[in-house]
């Protein structure tokens, strides 16, 4: 019961944090509110949540990384793939090596392997925290696509580097050549396992559905089990479970595109995954806040590990590491943007130098968040010989401090830098979208005509089928005419007004329906059916 109560309190804190964030008259990132609520929970009780590193890693990271891989826009990712790879792989490796030596130089009492481990956990970025920070200041789409792609890959690369650093700390030895080969094996096999698991499960689901119809609940549950299955299968083969979860999510996009799923299943599944993402990310930050009182209470003992007596040294270390990360990222982003975005003639972009605000915004947007916290909490408690893992508490303290400081800096500076900032333009996809809508509408008209003729031949009453088919085909022809005749600007204005009028009408329908229910002129079941139709209509025009 105690564990259940803890989970319920954590979930309640996540819910309350969302409400508080919306109530505040000024913009503040939700993760900071969640950390504050977690700290209140930690201060209000002497009980502490005991976190098992392996269990924490298994419960939180696979579903979050799987969902990131599943939902990331693939076309945008491939369009800026060179930039994403440079940030997600090159910058991570440079951060691990550069910051590892810097942290060891800064804190000689921290072993070099542990310094590399700390550098590895602070290398991944968190786009969810960025979105929360800039909720009231729109982030340029291209920048957000790059940040999402970077986060997807650097989560995996950073955690794989963490794995090698921890192994070096546990064994006391490290061979670069062996580590490079092991990295290729661990990463390659992990990716293959994730793709294989997704494809196998997708084919199995399709086979079962074709013979015994589709069950929405089972389909949703299977999608929840895929990241855990991929992770466990990869770990069993001594590969990267993290990369397996990411590749399973990416493969899920293409597996879904080649399989037909009921609309009801997709809508329910999206809602379930939205809730899981919100809950898991929120719980991670609440847990960070809940652990903070204990971490701060042990600050005196923790700073003793560094050879100093004043806890203020810990604040200095946090600031130094944060500045080092920001400087490294600024230099790398400058080079990356200069080479792959602003000076890529094949993408039709000019040869002007990068705008310093663009570089600064992209650099500051690389805040640390849930993955960093999850990674540092997975540091083992003991070495192979049974002695305590060196500087574990210090690493957790410094990582938590970097998360907090990067969030605070970004929440202040990012809205200022983003105001009026423009990214190099992306190719317009409006023509591609119009072509797709016209093609699908023409296919629908052809199918309806064939079905109409088939029904007329089999059952007679051709006039009835012709009238019903004409009504539906008229809607599709109206769509084709609208896409073919109107200019994009006129069409956007028309679609906006159409959506606005539909929402006004839906609101009036809800009021009238509520009145009928109160006066008992309509039964509950009928009201529920009409409400569902209104929900679907409203959801369509709010997208």
């Amino acid at each position: 019961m105690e564990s259940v109560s803890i989970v319920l309190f954590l979930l309640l804190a996540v819910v309350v944090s969302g409400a508080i964030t919306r109530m505040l008259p000024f913009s503040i990132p939700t993760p900071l509110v969640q950390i504050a609520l977690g700290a209140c929970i930690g201060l209000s009780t002497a009980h502490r949540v005991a976190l098992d590193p392996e269990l924490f890693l298994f419960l939180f990271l696979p579903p979050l990384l799987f969902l990131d891989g599943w939902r990331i826009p693939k076309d945008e990712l491939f369009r800026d793939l060179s930039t994403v790879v440079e940030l997600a792989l090159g910058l991570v490796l440079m951060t691990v090596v550069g910051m590892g030596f810097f942290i060891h130089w800064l804190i000689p009492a921290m072993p070099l392997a542990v310094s590399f481990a700390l550098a590895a956990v602070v290398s991944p970025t968190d786009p969810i925290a960025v979105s929360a920070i800039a909720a009231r200041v729109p982030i340029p789409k291209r920048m957000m696509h790059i940040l999402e792609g970077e986060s997807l890959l650097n989560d995996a690369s950073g955690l794989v580097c963490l794995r090698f650093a921890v192994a070096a700390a546990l064994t006391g030895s490290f061979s670069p050549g062996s580590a490079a080969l092991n990295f290729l094996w661990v990463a390659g096999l992990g990716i293959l396992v994730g793709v294989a698991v997704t494809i196998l499960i997708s084919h199995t689901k399709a086979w079962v559905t074709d013979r015994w119809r589709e069950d929405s609940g089972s389909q949703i549950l299977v999608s929840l089990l895929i990241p855990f299955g991929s992770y466990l299968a990869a770990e069993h083969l001594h590969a990267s479970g993290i990369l397996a979860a990411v590749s399973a999510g990416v493969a899920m996009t293409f597996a879904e595109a080649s399989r037909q799923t009921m609309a009801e299943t997709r809508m329910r599944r999206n809602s379930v995954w939205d809730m899981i993402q919100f809950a898991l990310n929120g719980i991670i930050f609440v847990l960070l806040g809940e652990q903070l009182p204990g971490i701060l209470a042990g600050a005196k003992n923790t700073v003793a590990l560094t050879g100093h007596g004043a806890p203020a040294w810990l604040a200095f270390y946090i600031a130094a590491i944060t500045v080092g990360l920001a400087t490294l990222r600024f230099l790398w982003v400058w080079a990356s943007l200069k080479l792959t975005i602003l000076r890529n003639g094949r993408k039709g972009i000019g040869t002007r130098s990068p705008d310093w605000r663009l570089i600064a915004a992209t650099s500051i947007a690389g805040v640390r968040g849930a993955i960093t916290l999850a990674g540092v909490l997975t540091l083992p408690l003991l070495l192979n010989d049974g002695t305590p893992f060196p500087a574990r508490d210090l690493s957790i303290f410094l990582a938590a401090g970097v998360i907090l400081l990067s969030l605070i800096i970004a929440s202040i500076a990012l809205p200022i830098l983003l105001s009026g900032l423009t990214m190099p333009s992306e190719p317009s996809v409006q023509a591609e979208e119009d072509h797709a809508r016209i093609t699908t509408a023409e296919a629908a008209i052809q199918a309806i005509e064939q079905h109409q003729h088939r029904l007329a031949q089999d059952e007679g009453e051709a006039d009835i089928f012709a009238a019903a088919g004409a009504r539906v085909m008229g809607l599709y022809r109206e769509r084709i005419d609208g896409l073919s005749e109107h200019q994009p600007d006129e069409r956007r204005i028309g679609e906006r007004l159409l959506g606005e009028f539909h929402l006004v009408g839906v609101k009036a329908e809800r009021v009238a329906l509520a009145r009928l229910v109160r006066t008992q002129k309509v039964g509950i079941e009928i009201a529920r059916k009409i409400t569902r139709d209104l929900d679907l209509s409203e959801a369509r025009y709010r997208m």
Side-chain angles (χ1 to χ4, degrees):
M1 277 303 293
E2 185 177 4
S3 298
V4 173
S5 299
I6 291 173
V7 172
L8 292 177
F9 272 114
L10 293 175
L11 290 174
L12 179 61
V14 174
V15 173
V16 173
S17 69
I20 292 176
T21 303
R22 293 190 299 271
M23 293 176 186
L24 292 174
F26 50 88
S27 178
I28 184 171
T30 303
L32 286 179
V33 178
Q34 291 165 344
I35 292 171
L37 285 175
C40 293
I41 295 174
L43 291 172
S44 62
T45 176
H47 179 77
R48 290 285 175 270
V49 178
L51 298 175
D52 179 83
E54 292 299 324
L55 181 61
F56 187 85
L57 178 69
F58 174 67
L59 288 179
F60 286 88
L61 293 192
L64 290 175
L65 295 177
F66 172 82
L67 188 61
D68 285 344
W70 189 358
R71 289 185 170 178
I72 188 171
K74 305 301 184 298
D75 293 337
E76 287 77 3
L77 174 63
F78 293 136
R79 185 176 298 132
D80 287 314
L81 186 61
S82 59
T83 303
V84 170
V85 170
E86 288 172 7
L87 290 172
L89 298 181
L91 179 57
V92 166
L93 292 176
M94 185 175 178
T95 300
V96 172
V97 175
M99 291 303 299
F101 282 112
F102 175 73
I103 292 171
H104 181 62
W105 172 81
L106 189 68
I107 312 173
M110 179 177 285
L112 184 59
V114 180
S115 299
F116 283 132
L118 178 57
V121 297
V122 296
S123 60
T125 55
D126 187 355
I128 295 174
V130 179
S131 300
I133 291 170
R136 301 182 187 179
V137 181
I139 297 180
K141 287 185 178 180
R142 192 167 190 179
M143 177 187 289
M144 200 63 207
H145 293 155
I146 292 174
L147 292 173
E148 287 173 343
E150 176 198 5
S151 175
L152 174 65
L153 296 179
N154 71 15
D155 289 348
S157 57
L159 292 172
V160 170
C161 290
L162 171 64
R163 174 175 176 169
F164 287 113
V166 170
L170 293 175
T171 61
S173 61
F174 178 76
S175 169
S178 175
L181 292 176
N182 195 16
F183 177 83
L184 294 176
W185 166 259
V186 166
L189 185 59
I191 292 172
L192 290 176
V193 167
V195 172
V197 169
T198 299
I199 293 176
L200 177 62
I201 292 177
S202 298
H203 280 283
T204 304
K205 285 195 307 177
W207 183 80
V208 172
T209 299
D210 291 341
R211 285 159 179 76
W212 296 286
R213 293 177 298 178
E214 180 175 309
D215 177 68
S216 295
S218 298
Q219 294 278 341
I220 296 170
L221 184 57
V222 168
S223 74
L224 296 177
L225 294 176
I226 289 176
F228 297 105
S230 302
Y231 181 90
L232 289 175
E235 290 294 324
H236 181 71
L237 297 174
H238 304 289
S240 171
I242 297 300
L243 282 173
V246 172
S247 63
V250 174
M252 191 72 172
T253 303
F254 301 101
E256 286 290 306
S258 60
R259 297 281 184 271
Q260 293 296 325
T261 304
M262 291 195 307
E264 182 180 12
T265 298
R266 284 195 297 270
M267 289 187 291
R268 289 181 176 179
R269 187 178 60 194
N270 287 339
S271 299
V272 169
W273 273 105
D274 286 341
M275 181 272 295
I276 289 175
Q277 183 183 42
F278 176 74
L280 292 183
N281 274 295
I283 287 176
I284 288 176
F285 285 108
V286 172
L287 280 174
L288 170 58
E290 191 273 340
Q291 299 285 308
L292 276 182
I295 294 174
L296 293 175
K300 187 174 183 180
N301 294 330
T302 302
V303 76
L305 298 173
T306 67
H308 298 284
W313 278 96
L314 294 176
F316 169 74
Y317 293 145
I318 291 170
I321 293 172
T322 303
V323 170
L325 289 169
T327 303
L328 205 59
R329 184 175 176 85
F330 184 92
L331 295 174
W332 190 277
V333 167
W334 177 83
S336 179
L337 292 179
K338 191 178 182 68
L339 292 174
T340 61
I341 295 181
L342 299 174
R343 289 197 170 180
N344 194 333
R346 289 178 299 176
K347 294 184 179 180
I349 298 185
T351 58
R352 58 188 175 85
S353 299
D355 185 345
W356 74 269
R357 285 205 307 149
L358 174 62
I359 301 173
T362 308
S363 302
I364 293 176
V367 299
R368 275 63 189 175
I371 302 300
T372 292
L373 179 60
V376 76
L377 290 175
T378 62
L379 292 176
L381 299 172
L382 303 173
L383 295 174
N384 291 337
D385 59 3
T387 57
F389 190 86
R392 184 178 189 273
D393 290 342
L394 177 61
S395 299
I396 294 175
F397 189 101
L398 295 177
V402 169
I403 293 172
L404 282 171
L405 188 56
S406 66
L407 281 170
I408 292 171
I409 292 174
S411 65
I412 296 172
L414 196 56
I416 299 173
L417 292 171
L418 287 175
S419 180
L421 178 65
T422 58
M423 283 282 286
S425 60
E426 293 185 89
S428 175
V429 296
Q430 188 62 52
E432 180 182 345
E433 179 181 344
D434 291 348
H435 173 71
R437 291 186 181 277
I438 291 174
T439 301
T440 54
E442 290 173 344
I445 291 174
Q446 183 178 358
I448 292 169
E449 287 178 341
Q450 294 173 354
H451 188 61
Q452 172 184 308
H453 295 321
R454 188 163 50 249
L455 288 176
Q457 292 174 356
D458 295 342
E459 303 183 22
E461 300 292 341
D463 293 340
I464 297 177
F465 299 127
R471 289 180 60 186
V472 179
M473 287 188 290
L475 297 175
Y476 284 109
R477 290 193 176 101
E478 183 181 341
R479 179 198 296 179
I480 294 173
D481 293 340
L483 292 173
S484 303
E485 296 175 0
H486 300 292
Q487 294 298 319
D489 292 339
E490 295 178 357
R491 190 163 61 249
R492 278 195 295 269
I493 296 174
E495 289 175 353
R496 180 179 60 81
L497 293 175
L498 181 66
E500 182 178 334
F501 288 141
H502 268 285
L503 293 175
V504 170
V506 168
K507 183 177 180 181
E509 287 186 80
R510 291 190 189 280
V511 173
L513 181 61
R515 188 184 306 116
L516 291 174
V517 172
R518 284 197 304 269
T519 57
Q520 298 183 348
K521 293 181 179 179
V522 170
I524 297 299
E525 288 302 318
I526 294 177
R528 183 179 290 117
K529 180 180 178 181
I530 296 175
T531 299
R532 183 175 182 274
D533 293 339
L534 294 176
D535 290 342
L536 293 174
S537 180
E538 181 177 346
R540 175 188 176 188
Y541 289 103
R542 284 196 183 277
M543 292 181 64

